Amino acid sequence: MSGADPTPEIPKDEEGMDVDSQSEASDMEEVLDMETLKELEEQGMVQIAHEGGEETPVSDDDDVEGDDANMEEEEEEGVPDMAAAVLKKHTEAVHAVALHPSLPLVASGGEDDKAFLWKVDPSNPGPTDVEPLFELTGHTDTVICVAFSFDGSILATGGMDGRVMLWNPTDGSLISTLEDLGDAVTYLFWHPKGRVLFAGSADSQSVMWSDKGVVLQVFAGHASEVTCGALVSDNKLLATGSEDQAVKVFSPKTSEMLAHFDIRAKGMHMLPDCGVTAVAGHPKNADVVIAGYESGSVAILGIAKKKVNSVVLMEHTMAVESIAVSPILPYFATCSAGDGTLSMWNAESNTVRDKIKQEAGFVSLKWAGEHLYSADTQGEIKRYEGRAMSTKPPHVWTGHSNTALCLATHEDGWVVSGSDDATLRMFTL
């Protein structure tokens, strides 16, 4: 360890960003000296993440001799297109995709300011080019979110124009336009058991609407952009994360803020880049919120006691991109697009049980049954065995020519992904 001053300044470049991401782990060691880390770990406030430990096995998909040559050969030959269907109508990157809960319908949103509704046939061996059923226009900026209501009767789209639009998926007609947010939509989802819609915005607030477009609650209190949101505590509470580095928990019934968490205030005030990037409910404990941060750290937050239960510092060396909670297994997964790591957590102990690292960054994670699906910057979609992520090779689908930005999974084993290449692709087993 360096013998530096116990509270040195965090190294920044001219634009205020962290110095070379390749040395972030060593920078953290200089910022938080080992004595401080050990004290925090003894207090139960943090766990110190180490790569390659017995409890967190790491497999490197790409760390094999000859990989560079193989990749060059693949580039020359072209990536094989394994898609059962290709959905082409967007003219720019596809940022959002959702599956209808009961019909073979797919909704998508893109950087071309448009949303589309598509009908697909998962039983079709393909490949087949699919034309959209309906083109949904009205947004004036990127459509960043799409979501079907729990019964599939309404499709909601959210844009960087700050608009939320409600559509009838049977005929593509517009039901209503909601303009209650003051800036870009950052997250959007329906309650899983009711026609209640939640969305967050860069204006620092979140809103809850009825299916008629009536504002039911406004959730305020963040000092900066709300970046993420999720229902927690058995879908009874709303958790939001923000660039202001805080996680807040609200009551949807009253809009009252029930808990506020700032991990820097819990003995870790020297942590850099503590903006919150992802939140999720815990699969085993309704009193817990899982949060991911720009620093790559992951926190376990207790709602009732308003307590930061633990923080795993730098589990990922760059920002946490996604948190995915298994609906069946006692696991949750976290990933980073910056460092190409994917961690599988044991929800009983809140410790990492498995970990992999690859050259491509992980962009999105989704569960279906006992399988975890990922989309990455190489454009690949992978299906992992949840219980044996690093020991059993994943099923890999290729076809995208650029980063896969989003994906939606079906319990029957098929998946639809959207990409920077302006297409959606449906893959089947």
Side-chain angles (χ1 to χ4, degrees):
M1 291 298 301
S2 169
D5 183 89
T7 57
E9 292 186 2
I10 300 167
K12 302 282 184 177
D13 61 19
E14 293 181 357
E15 297 180 357
M17 301 296 290
D18 291 352
V19 176
D20 190 357
S21 60
Q22 298 297 321
S23 62
E24 281 199 40
S26 60
D27 289 347
M28 176 60 77
E29 290 179 356
E30 292 179 6
V31 173
L32 294 173
D33 58 57
M34 187 55 69
E35 183 178 350
T36 302
L37 286 173
K38 287 181 178 178
E39 288 179 1
L40 292 172
E41 189 169 35
E42 288 173 0
Q43 296 169 15
M45 294 301 299
V46 304
Q47 299 169 38
I48 305 173
H50 300 281
E51 290 189 6
E54 290 184 4
E55 296 184 357
T56 58
V58 178
S59 67
D60 192 332
D61 294 346
D62 301 293
D63 190 16
V64 180
E65 289 186 10
D67 267 6
D68 290 342
N70 291 337
M71 289 179 66
E72 289 177 4
E73 289 178 9
E74 286 183 5
E75 288 176 0
E76 291 177 2
E77 297 174 1
V79 177
D81 193 347
M82 303 169 70
V86 181
L87 288 60
K88 297 180 181 178
K89 196 63 176 180
H90 285 285
T91 57
E92 296 186 58
V94 179
H95 285 271
V97 61
L99 304 184
H100 191 279
S102 59
L103 300 174
L105 297 179
V106 175
S108 64
E111 208 165 307
D112 53 8
D113 309 345
K114 295 178 181 179
F116 290 97
L117 272 166
W118 318 74
K119 184 176 181 180
V120 295
D121 181 4
S123 64
N124 177 42
T128 301
D129 287 349
V130 178
E131 289 295 319
L133 290 175
F134 307 110
E135 179 177 321
L136 312 178
T137 60
H139 285 285
T140 59
D141 206 338
T142 300
V143 178
I144 201 74
C145 307
V146 294
F148 286 102
S149 59
F150 83 102
D151 59 0
S153 62
I154 304 174
L155 171 68
T157 59
M160 294 187 72
D161 56 6
R163 293 177 180 172
V164 173
M165 305 182 76
L166 304 183
W167 310 85
N168 183 337
T170 62
D171 59 12
S173 61
L174 179 65
I175 298 172
S176 59
T177 299
L178 315 180
E179 299 185 290
D180 305 292
L181 297 172
D183 208 333
V185 176
T186 54
Y187 76 82
L188 174 77
F189 58 82
W190 292 89
H191 192 284
K193 296 181 179 180
R195 293 184 188 176
V196 179
L197 180 66
F198 298 83
S201 171
D203 70 357
S204 79
Q205 298 187 110
S206 294
V207 174
M208 180 175 75
W209 295 271
S210 72
D211 60 342
K212 305 299 183 183
V214 177
V215 174
L216 301 177
Q217 299 291 358
V218 175
F219 308 97
H222 284 292
S224 187
E225 174 179 336
V226 173
T227 55
C228 51
L231 290 176
V232 300
S233 191
D234 294 330
N235 299 319
K236 296 175 183 177
L237 303 176
L238 173 68
T240 59
S242 170
E243 286 187 348
D244 66 6
Q245 312 187 29
V247 173
K248 296 181 184 292
V249 179
F250 298 92
S251 165
K253 290 184 179 180
T254 65
S255 77
E256 177 188 1
M257 186 175 67
L258 304 176
H260 167 94
F261 303 95
D262 184 344
I263 63 172
R264 296 179 309 154
K266 300 294 182 179
M268 286 160 282
H269 59 281
M270 292 178 288
L271 272 174
D273 296 331
C274 282
V276 184
T277 55
V279 291
H282 195 275
K284 298 294 289 184
N285 189 341
D287 185 53
V288 166
V289 178
I290 308 163
Y293 296 82
E294 290 178 11
S295 63
S297 302
V298 177
I300 305 298
L301 312 173
I303 300 171
K305 295 184 178 180
K306 304 178 183 180
K307 177 184 177 182
V308 177
N309 293 344
S310 65
V311 180
V312 180
L313 294 173
M314 303 291 286
E315 170 57 32
H316 305 280
T317 60
M318 298 186 73
V320 175
E321 192 73 24
S322 180
I323 301 174
V325 177
S326 170
I328 298 176
L329 302 174
Y331 304 151
F332 62 91
T334 61
C335 70
S336 174
D339 66 5
T341 57
L342 170 58
S343 298
M344 186 71 72
W345 299 69
N346 182 332
E348 302 282 359
S349 60
N350 294 320
T351 57
V352 175
R353 68 180 305 274
D354 202 357
K355 189 171 184 177
I356 61 175
K357 180 177 175 60
Q358 64 178 30
E359 182 177 336
F362 290 95
V363 179
S364 183
L365 301 175
K366 290 287 188 302
W367 285 89
E370 295 188 0
H371 294 92
L372 178 68
Y373 294 74
S374 70
D376 65 34
T377 56
Q378 194 167 297
E380 293 183 343
I381 307 301
K382 295 179 180 178
R383 181 180 188 258
Y384 295 93
E385 294 282 347
R387 299 179 187 274
M389 186 176 70
S390 67
T391 57
K392 288 188 178 180
H395 188 101
V396 181
W397 291 286
T398 60
H400 286 299
S401 61
N402 209 328
T403 297
L405 298 171
C406 54
L407 74 163
T409 57
H410 193 276
E411 59 185 9
D412 290 339
W414 55 281
V415 58
V416 179
S417 55
S419 170
D420 230 349
D421 64 12
T423 71
L424 295 105
R425 278 173 159 75
M426 181 179 71
F427 301 100
T428 59
L429 290 173

